[in-house]
Amino acid sequence: MVYKIYKINNIKEKKKIEQILNITEITWKNVNFGDIFISFDFTTTNGDLMPGDWIGLFAKTLAFTDDINFGEKIVFYGIINKKEPLKASKDNVKGLYKYSGYDFGYFLDKKTATIDVKNDNPVNAIKKLCTEINIEPGEILKEWENNKELLITKIYKKETASNILNHIYKLALKSGLKDEYYFNCLDGKLNLVKYEKNNDLKGYIANAFTMDSLKTIHSYTITQTLDEKDNTISNEINLNVIGDYNLKKGAIFDLKNEELNLDGEYLIETSDHTISGVKEQVTIKIRKIPKLEEHMDTTDTRFV
């Protein structure tokens, strides 16, 4: 897997201006489901970027057997909010600059809006909010867009956009939506997308050798906590693996690992990526999705 960072004209046009060269390390983090944004940082000898500049991280897969370039795929667009010059070292006479920032979702905690939703579909309510705060709507509850039974009513007055979005989602759940969606702004638009099954999670070494990421677990933590109220035990599972950008929040995969006593379907809740040298280290926090019992109703309640 080859990653490239480009300076972007602006978040609406998303036009590449120039490639940022001499990148030494890139990190980016998907946060919890209640949060919409990601954070990132990268280091480079390029000191020309400034806070307020937009960048795009792109991933490219190469097939070395026939030298076919499968093209670049956007991982995320983000805005730089901090520039930090690093001291020059003996091996790096030019010195480095560290840039940090977020994707557009960060601004949803800063922007306020007033909208009136009257017996309307949540898809339309979210698009109305997008117009109010001047953000482009992307994929939003795609399969529910024309559902006339999924209706909500609520007046929001000068509330933060993130609070409005999360409240609309909660109302939609009460109206019949299944809890299997999450917000993101990775592509520079506001999306409310469904969890996706992906059993083809790969790790790359030296951009040439691929392996099953779930077979590269080299450290882990499994914390068990007792809920005294319900008398149940919950597990917090963190795995450190070699992977790529597909190991991200919202991905579902099958995992059977006898050593860790893990067996079933698991959902990635957060992911923390470090791209350095010839490999990408990823720490993922996962939770098990309960299997449906044969005697249960056919309605899928795994995420409720």
Side-chain angles (χ1 to χ4, degrees):
M1 184 65 63
V2 178
Y3 289 93
K4 295 181 180 180
I5 293 179
Y6 292 89
K7 185 177 179 182
I8 303 299
N9 185 34
N10 61 54
I11 193 59
K12 288 190 175 181
E13 292 185 14
K14 303 179 183 65
K15 183 179 179 181
K16 297 177 183 176
I17 297 178
E18 61 178 318
Q19 183 181 348
I20 309 303
L21 302 175
N22 301 320
I23 304 291
T24 62
E25 184 175 271
I26 306 168
T27 70
W28 62 282
K29 181 183 295 186
N30 277 116
V31 285
N32 292 311
F33 278 100
D35 299 311
I36 299 174
F37 65 94
I38 66 157
S39 59
F40 69 87
D41 63 64
F42 62 94
T43 54
T44 173
T45 57
N46 187 324
D48 296 332
L49 295 172
M50 294 295 293
D53 286 339
W54 285 94
I55 60 98
L57 176 65
F58 292 80
K60 181 167 61 176
T61 303
L62 299 176
F64 287 90
T65 54
D66 52 11
D67 199 31
I68 296 176
N69 183 343
F70 285 94
E72 294 178 343
K73 179 175 177 60
I74 180 67
V75 179
F76 65 80
Y77 292 106
I79 187 170
I80 295 171
N81 78 324
K82 183 179 180 181
K83 176 181 179 179
E84 180 183 2
L86 303 178
K87 290 182 179 180
S89 65
K90 182 179 179 181
D91 298 325
N92 179 22
V93 293
K94 289 186 177 180
L96 294 170
Y97 293 85
K98 182 177 181 179
Y99 297 96
S100 306
Y102 310 91
D103 71 5
F104 195 90
Y106 175 77
F107 297 103
L108 299 177
D109 274 336
K110 310 298 180 183
K111 292 176 175 284
T112 60
T114 297
I115 61 171
D116 188 355
V117 183
K118 292 182 179 180
N119 203 33
D120 203 354
N121 188 289
V123 178
N124 295 330
I126 293 173
K127 288 182 177 179
K128 184 182 291 186
L129 175 64
C130 288
T131 299
E132 180 74 11
I133 63 175
N134 194 28
I135 180 174
E136 187 177 358
E139 182 180 336
I140 302 173
L141 296 176
K142 191 173 182 180
E143 57 269 49
W144 294 83
E145 191 166 7
N146 297 316
N147 189 310
K148 296 180 180 180
E149 297 179 358
L150 189 65
L151 302 175
I152 60 176
T153 297
K154 175 70 176 177
I155 297 176
Y156 301 94
K157 293 184 178 180
K158 295 184 179 180
E159 293 191 43
T160 61
S162 57
N163 285 345
I164 294 174
L165 289 169
N166 285 320
H167 192 262
I168 289 174
Y169 184 58
K170 289 178 181 178
L171 290 179
L173 294 179
K174 292 181 179 180
S175 299
L177 184 74
K178 287 179 285 188
D179 190 8
E180 53 188 5
Y181 296 83
Y182 68 102
F183 289 103
N184 75 52
C185 292
L186 296 177
D187 61 355
K189 303 176 183 179
L190 176 63
N191 305 288
L192 181 52
V193 291
K194 193 173 184 178
Y195 304 162
E196 288 188 339
K197 189 73 172 283
N198 188 349
N199 278 324
D200 189 29
L201 298 169
K202 300 292 185 183
Y204 295 81
I205 297 293
N207 303 321
F209 303 102
T210 62
M211 62 202 75
D212 183 345
S213 286
L214 301 175
K215 293 182 179 179
T216 68
I217 299 172
H218 48 276
S219 63
Y220 65 90
T221 60
I222 301 178
T223 305
Q224 296 182 314
T225 305
L226 173 65
D227 186 330
E228 296 181 2
K229 182 179 179 180
D230 298 329
N231 197 31
T232 57
I233 296 176
S234 61
N235 293 327
E236 180 178 306
I237 308 167
N238 293 275
L239 308 177
N240 192 277
V241 301
I242 297 173
D244 67 5
Y245 66 95
N246 288 299
L247 277 162
K248 61 183 179 181
K249 178 169 67 175
I252 298 173
F253 57 86
D254 296 313
L255 175 60
K256 185 176 180 62
N257 187 305
E258 293 182 0
E259 179 184 353
L260 303 182
N261 195 29
L262 301 177
D263 186 8
E265 276 191 324
Y266 292 84
L267 169 71
I268 298 179
E269 295 187 299
T270 68
S271 66
D272 194 342
H273 301 246
T274 299
I275 304 164
S276 181
V278 296
K279 63 182 178 181
E280 180 173 356
Q281 300 271 13
V282 189
T283 298
I284 53 175
K285 177 183 175 183
I286 63 175
R287 66 175 168 89
K288 188 173 183 178
I289 301 172
K291 290 184 178 180
L292 291 176
E293 300 295 337
E294 292 182 1
H295 65 272
M296 290 181 63
D297 185 86
T298 54
T299 302
D300 188 347
T301 59
R302 292 181 299 174
F303 302 95
V304 176

